[in-house]
Structures are given as C-alpha cells and as structure tokens.
Amino acid sequence: MARTQGSHSDITGPKVRDTALRLFAQHGYAAVSMRQIAREVGVQVGALYNYTPDKQALLFSLLKGHMDELLSTWEAEPRPDGPRDRLEAFVRFHIRFNLDRPQAIFISYMELRNLAPENFAVIEAQRKVYEGALEAILRDGQSEGVFSVPDTRLASYALIAMLTGVNTWYRAGGRLSIEEVADIYWDMVRKSVSAD
Amino acid sequence: MARTQGSHSDITGPKVRDTALRLFAQHGYAAVSMRQIAREVGVQVGALYNYTPDKQALLFSLLKGHMDELLSTWEAEPRPDGPRDRLEAFVRFHIRFNLDRPQAIFISYMELRNLAPENFAVIEAQRKVYEGALEAILRDGQSEGVFSVPDTRLASYALIAMLTGVNTWYRAGGRLSIEEVADIYWDMVRKSVSAD
DNA sequence: GTCTATACTGGGATAGAC
DNA sequence: GTCTATCCCAGTATAGAC
C-alpha cells in the first residue's frame, strides 16, 4: 500500500545517519552544518530534527553505535586457546573490522574532542574495554612465558596505534588484499613481542 | 626607550601564533573562531589581521613552520653508520621530537583536511620526504640482510603509526621518562624488523 | 513527517579613526 | 598597531501550516 505522501521515516532516518557519517568523516564535525546534511539527504533542515534532538546527539549516536558494534562483534569472535593464537586473532580482527568501516573508525578517533563531556566519558570507557582486551592477552602471554614484552601497557598502546594506522593508507583495490595486509602486520606484531 | 603606545608587533605576533596553535589543538580548527583567538591574545579581532591575511593562512603557517622544523632538525641529526643504528636513531629522534611539541604534532595530523588543496599538497610533500627517510633505512637494512621485512613500504607505515601513537597517551611527569619510553619502543621496533 | 519561515546567535573579514 | 563599528553570510534550532 502507498504510504502517506511525505512520510519516509524508515528511509530518511538511516539516510540522515549515513549522510552525517560520511560528511563528518570527510570534513569534520565542526565544519559540517545541519543545512549541508539536509541538502545531501534531500530534505529541509527542520526535518532533520525528527531524527535527532540536536547535532551533538547525532555525533554521539554514530560513535556509540560504532563502539557497541565493535565490542559485540569482538566478543562474538571465536576465542582461540593460548595467548599466541589469541593475539593473532586480535590482530586479524582489528584490521578486518577497521578496514570494513573506515568512516566510523575515522570519526571515532578524530571527533572525540567534539563530544560533550558526558558523552565522551561513555565512549572512552568503551574504548578502554576494547584496548583492555589486548592488554590482557599480552599480560597472559608474558606471564606464561610465550611473549617477551618489557611493558604490557605500552605494548598494547603501541600495537593498537600500529594496527589502526592501516586505515590511513589502505585503499580497496590497491596492490594488497586485506588478508595480505593482515599477514604482514601479524608478522611484525608477532616478532615485536617475541612470540614463536 | 618607550615604544609608541599600542604598538606591540614583536609581542603580539608570536602570541597570536601560540594562541592559535593551542586553541586549534584543543578544539579543532573549524571550532575555533577568530574572535576567540583575539580574546585570548588580548586584542580585538581586527588586530589579528595584521598578522595573517586570513584564518586559513594562519593554520597553514603553523603546519608549514612545524614541518620545516621537523625536516631541518632531522637532517641536522648525526647519521650513524649502518641501517641498524640509523633505525635506532630515527626511532629515538621521532619520539623525542614529537613529545617535545605535542600540540604541533596533533594539529599536523588532525587538521590536514582543513587545509586548502594547494596548502595540503605542500605539507603532504614534506611529510612524504620525512617518511621516505624511514623507508630508505628499512630498504637498506633489508638489502644488506640486517633486517627481515616482508614489505618495506608497509613496515614504514606501521612503524610511523606506532611511534606517533606515543603522543596519544604520554604525559610529562608520568611513571616513565621520555628515554625509558624510547627504550621500550626501540625494543619493539628492533624485534619487529628482526634486527640484531 | 515534511515544509516554509523565522528567531537568534555567531562566523570571517574589512573600513576608517586614532 | 590597535580599536570600534559594521557588512554580509551562515550557523542551530523552533513554530506552525499542511
């Protein structure tokens, strides 16, 4: 049946989020106006406020949705036995997950400072949970004698930064597939913690 | 002798740059207004335009000055013999240089997209020169058999990201000195390329 | 749910007096 | 070199008709 003319909440809603994500990633939250989002969605500015109370809530919703997905996807991953295989699983998961959603990753790193303090606290706590998973793997491996890491905290920071950096240069259709990239990074990570 | 009242170009000029650097790093280029800069400098808005033709030129000037300093300081560093020692020198230089000027480093990574295209091209070219220095070291070490790196290009990206990541967590007065941090990172870097 | 119209605030930049 | 005043445009957000 035909809908009431002008009623498109199931189309416009996602479109607002997709457009905002794309524009925030491209130009930055502060540089993107609600007018611009509306224009690219194909509605008038006022209509946006049916989908978000304000611009800040839109940013927070995008980041929160992304972090929720990151944590739940990671927790649903198979959990191999032993720190060595778990580290490899983390490396491959992180690269794959990040390269699959470059825009969300980008704003998750770039737009943290544009979150209101209470929103920032929520995202920051989720980030710590995720990074804590890596540090736990390193700690286990260290105490089991499978890894040799001078400082597990620093090592987790170093490895996260290294892995996340893939997004700054990787372009789909380049000379390497995601799997090949993951192989190369895993080789460096493995050696850096003296595994195997 | 007393200067003409209200004439402070030698004080105000640097103050404008310092203030802009600090505010851009803290809130982001797009989120900072010329009015805000003027307020914190202690002048009226109109006075700012004695020191920069516009806001964009102010950002570019900060980034350009930073990149110039990076390249000239690196080129003035002692250049040890052999890829292994040159890599160590690069690692320690990068960490020290970056931790010494966190704000400039921060905007150099975050505000690239807010540069006008012609300005972006200039900064990007300088960045490639710097990163090329690391890749050259890796290539030399690989061909001399001192390193084992599956892909020197990727390895240079990976290492740069890892080293630059120090700035996201390091705080002066924390439990580790800059030298201790550099020791730990050098240990991981060295192992990741199978040196020694 | 979307539109048009508008309130209100703040943006970058300039002119001209001192 | 700085100030005051101002131009012009854009921002977020809301009200009320359809």
Side-chain angles (χ1 to χ4, degrees):
Chain A
M1 305 300 295
R3 290 183 145 274
T4 306
Q5 200 189 22
S7 178
H8 302 285
S9 83
D10 48 347
I11 300 173
T12 308
K15 216 168 164 188
V16 168
R17 294 174 57 87
D18 290 351
T19 305
L21 175 63
R22 180 169 52 79
L23 291 177
F24 288 167
Q26 196 169 354
H27 305 291
Y29 171 78
V32 172
S33 68
M34 295 298 271
R35 290 189 215 272
Q36 190 178 355
I37 296 171
R39 196 186 326 124
E40 304 224 0
V41 169
V43 296
Q44 296 299 315
V45 202
L48 291 182
Y49 290 87
N50 290 314
Y51 301 94
T52 179
D54 53 34
K55 192 185 171 191
Q56 166 71 206
L58 184 53
L59 175 64
F60 177 62
S61 163
L62 290 172
L63 292 188
K64 182 68 166 55
H66 170 71
M67 291 307 294
D68 287 346
E69 192 194 10
L70 171 65
L71 288 176
S72 64
T73 310
W74 167 245
E75 275 153 26
E77 285 278 301
R79 192 167 175 278
D81 278 343
R84 193 264 186 208
D85 289 348
R86 281 217 289 280
L87 181 58
E88 178 171 0
F90 184 93
V91 167
R92 294 185 183 279
F93 168 80
H94 189 87
I95 290 178
R96 191 172 3 98
F97 189 89
N98 280 20
L99 287 184
D100 276 352
R101 26 183 95 55
Q103 293 174 331
I105 295 293
F106 196 71
I107 67 167
S108 288
Y109 280 87
M110 302 287 275
E111 303 300 350
L112 286 175
R113 63 178 163 189
N114 286 311
L115 287 173
E118 65 275 21
N119 292 337
F120 175 80
V122 173
I123 302 296
E124 196 59 11
Q126 289 183 295
R127 175 192 304 277
K128 281 205 173 120
V129 169
Y130 181 69
E131 297 189 358
L134 173 59
E135 202 198 337
I137 294 171
L138 295 177
R139 241 186 296 109
D140 292 349
Q142 176 74 10
S143 64
E144 291 180 25
V146 207
F147 301 156
S148 170
V149 224
D151 189 304
T152 55
R153 173 63 57 89
L154 259 66
S156 72
Y157 293 155
L159 296 183
I160 287 274
M162 177 170 158
L163 297 175
T164 303
V166 175
N167 277 58
T168 64
W169 59 264
Y170 183 86
R171 294 297 170 265
R175 72 181 162 98
L176 295 171
S177 70
I178 294 187
E179 282 312 309
E180 287 168 326
V181 171
D183 290 344
I184 292 171
Y185 273 74
W186 165 236
D187 177 71
M188 296 187 73
V189 168
R190 183 181 52 75
K191 293 191 287 188
S192 74
V193 300
S194 311
D196 276 3
Chain B
M1 301 305 291
R3 287 182 148 277
T4 306
Q5 201 188 20
S7 177
H8 302 288
S9 81
D10 48 347
I11 300 174
T12 308
K15 216 170 165 187
V16 168
R17 294 175 57 87
D18 291 351
T19 304
L21 176 62
R22 180 169 52 78
L23 291 177
F24 289 166
Q26 196 169 355
H27 306 290
Y29 171 78
V32 173
S33 68
M34 295 297 272
R35 287 172 161 85
Q36 188 179 357
I37 296 171
R39 198 185 326 123
E40 305 225 0
V41 168
V43 295
Q44 296 299 317
V45 203
L48 292 182
Y49 291 86
N50 290 315
Y51 301 95
T52 180
D54 52 34
K55 193 186 172 191
Q56 167 71 204
L58 185 52
L59 175 64
F60 177 62
S61 162
L62 290 172
L63 292 188
K64 182 68 166 55
H66 169 71
M67 291 307 293
D68 287 346
E69 193 194 7
L70 171 65
L71 289 176
S72 65
T73 310
W74 167 246
E75 275 153 27
E77 285 278 300
R79 190 166 177 276
D81 277 343
R84 193 264 186 210
D85 290 347
R86 280 217 290 278
L87 182 58
E88 178 170 358
F90 185 93
V91 167
R92 294 185 183 278
F93 168 79
H94 189 88
I95 290 178
R96 194 176 358 101
F97 189 89
N98 280 18
L99 288 184
D100 277 351
R101 28 184 94 56
Q103 294 175 329
I105 295 294
F106 196 70
I107 67 167
S108 288
Y109 281 88
M110 302 286 276
E111 304 299 350
L112 285 176
R113 63 178 163 188
N114 287 310
L115 286 174
E118 66 276 19
N119 291 338
F120 176 80
V122 174
I123 303 296
E124 196 60 10
Q126 289 182 295
R127 175 192 305 277
K128 281 203 174 122
V129 169
Y130 181 68
E131 297 188 357
L134 172 59
E135 203 199 337
I137 294 171
L138 295 177
R139 241 186 295 110
D140 292 349
Q142 175 75 10
S143 65
E144 292 181 25
V146 209
F147 301 156
S148 170
V149 216
D151 189 304
T152 55
R153 174 62 58 89
L154 260 67
S156 72
Y157 293 157
L159 296 182
I160 286 273
M162 176 169 158
L163 297 175
T164 304
V166 175
N167 277 58
T168 64
W169 60 264
Y170 183 87
R171 294 298 170 266
R175 72 180 163 97
L176 296 171
S177 70
I178 294 186
E179 281 313 308
E180 287 167 325
V181 170
D183 289 344
I184 291 171
Y185 273 75
W186 165 236
D187 176 71
M188 296 187 73
V189 168
R190 184 181 51 76
K191 292 192 287 188
S192 74
V193 300
S194 312
D196 275 5

